[in-house]
Amino acid sequence: PASPGGALAAPLPSVGSAMHGVNCKPCVFVWTKGCSSGTACVFCHLCDAGEKKRRQKVRRDYRFERRREKEDSAAAPPALAAPRRW
């Protein structure tokens, strides 16, 4: 199949690889015991071996930071309102 630029496009290793780099979900089996779904797999076969773990860590760290910010703001004394000038 030809791409819009005229060059031949390589076939994707899996259906899920079409969204690689945009909104894909990595297939963990492709790097371990091998993916039994092959090209019909809805998960990305182009992601690196540790990509799923990396994303989980990023998500966990983000949640931890948000929770800490929320707790810090709840523990802080309320801000004093500026006096009104009539």
Side-chain angles (χ1 to χ4, degrees):
S3 65
L8 292 178
L12 293 173
S14 70
V15 174
S17 298
M19 295 298 289
H20 179 70
V22 180
N23 191 21
C24 67
K25 292 183 178 183
C27 179
V28 295
F29 298 112
V30 75
W31 294 106
T32 56
K33 63 181 182 178
C35 181
S36 61
S37 299
T39 57
C41 183
V42 295
F43 297 99
C44 184
H45 288 189
L46 296 174
C47 289
D48 292 332
E51 184 63 17
K52 182 171 180 178
K53 281 275 192 203
R54 187 193 69 78
R55 291 183 189 184
Q56 286 175 333
K57 183 181 181 331
V58 168
R59 190 169 41 246
R60 185 179 61 241
D61 291 347
Y62 173 77
R63 288 181 184 152
F64 178 77
E65 287 297 321
R66 295 285 295 164
R67 190 177 321 124
R68 185 169 8 148
E69 288 173 5
K70 188 176 180 181
E71 289 170 356
D72 288 347
S73 66
L80 297 175
R84 291 187 177 183
R85 295 188 181 200
W86 299 97

